[in-house]
Amino acid sequence: QTVVTQEPSFSVSPGGTVTLTCGLSSGSVSISYYPSWYQQTPGQAPRTLIYNTNTRSSGVPDRFSGSILGNKAALTITGAQADDESDYYCVLYMGSGIWVFGGGTKLTVL
Amino acid sequence: QVQLQESGPGLVKPSETLSLTCTVSGGSISGYYWSWIRQPPGKGLEWIGYIYYSGSTNYSPSLKSRVTISVDTSKNQFSLKLSSVTAADTAVYYCARYYCTTTTCFHLDYWGQGTLVTVSS
């Protein structure tokens, strides 16, 4: 079974730029996987940041952007702020009506 | 504004069946895809499956043998049943709605607040 991979943790300085990635244990991520990205803070339901690779969800600041980098989907945060400290999850559409979440990345802003 | 609310027992005994209902308010369940997702304490999110308002379903291969998702359009509700539960099924269970076009579903745009279900004797 294919596993969706994410960095377990990442840190960024306030004002800095960070790129989180979303890959596959076997194969490359492309736009055909319709990658989406969710942000989750403790005790809260996730909220969508990016869907369909690079479309920002309503109300999401433009410092969040999505792309394909090499063989992975990527979420870039430009000008990180303290309240960006959260868990970030990618989701890939594997075909045949199946979606799979990545393991999540815990982002620290310090 | 669409709102989703999970309901059901917070404690289930091992080997029994976990049953949860998601009530949709502020909008119709018709015309949309609906999903269940879970999150064990301190761990990541896991996609369980989805149901279309018409009743068609699809499930995670890892849970398929134990999962049933159903819909009741008259009550604007959909439900989750997970059989033969063990402690590994202890998690916060979320219901959510898919944002879809005519051809593709892209993301989960509305979520419930989640409900913790503990499997313990």
Side-chain angles (χ1 to χ4, degrees):
Chain A
Q1 183 176 341
T2 302
V3 174
V4 178
T5 62
Q6 296 185 245
E7 299 87 358
S9 62
F10 229 117
S11 64
V12 62
S13 299
T17 296
V18 63
T19 297
L20 312 182
T21 67
C22 175
L24 290 169
S25 57
S26 176
S28 299
V29 177
S30 68
I31 60 173
S32 300
Y33 285 85
Y34 303 109
S36 55
W37 291 90
Y38 296 82
Q39 178 190 51
Q40 186 183 35
T41 53
Q44 299 296 313
R47 70 153 180 156
T48 307
L49 296 175
I50 301 288
Y51 64 93
N52 196 20
T53 305
N54 56 14
T55 302
R56 265 186 302 277
S57 189
S58 177
V60 174
D62 61 7
R63 56 200 180 77
F64 292 92
S65 62
S67 64
I68 300 291
L69 287 181
N71 62 350
K72 296 182 179 182
L75 172 71
T76 299
I77 306 173
T78 305
Q81 300 181 0
D83 61 4
D84 295 335
E85 188 161 292
S86 302
D87 295 326
Y88 292 85
Y89 294 91
C90 70
V91 181
L92 300 179
Y93 178 62
M94 309 304 277
S96 302
I98 303 295
W99 278 266
V100 178
F101 280 90
T105 297
K106 184 176 185 63
L107 181 67
T108 301
V109 181
L110 53 70
Chain B
Q1 177 79 345
V2 174
Q3 293 185 312
L4 291 80
Q5 179 67 58
E6 305 90 351
S7 59
L11 181 63
V12 181
K13 289 183 168 55
S15 80
E16 295 189 343
T17 296
L18 177 159
S19 296
L20 294 174
T21 295
C22 182
T23 301
V24 179
S25 59
S28 176
I29 204 167
S30 295
Y32 291 93
Y33 286 84
W34 304 89
S35 186
W36 287 97
I37 304 95
R38 70 179 183 177
Q39 184 171 36
K43 296 188 178 180
L45 298 163
E46 180 181 18
W47 183 80
I48 297 172
Y50 74 73
I51 188 164
Y52 191 42
Y53 80 100
S54 63
S56 62
T57 56
N58 216 335
Y59 305 131
S60 167
S62 64
L63 295 171
K64 187 173 185 176
S65 64
R66 299 193 292 131
V67 172
T68 302
I69 300 177
S70 58
V71 64
D72 187 338
T73 54
S74 67
K75 294 182 179 179
N76 236 32
Q77 295 175 336
F78 63 105
S79 298
L80 169 71
K81 291 189 185 299
L82 182 65
S83 63
S84 305
V85 297
T86 69
D89 295 310
T90 294
V92 174
Y93 286 77
Y94 294 99
C95 59
R97 189 188 82 170
Y98 269 105
Y99 167 79
C100 305
T101 63
T102 53
T103 56
T104 307
C105 288
F106 290 105
H107 72 108
L108 297 158
D109 60 353
Y110 288 97
W111 293 67
Q113 65 187 24
T115 187
L116 175 63
V117 179
T118 301
V119 178
S120 175
S121 55

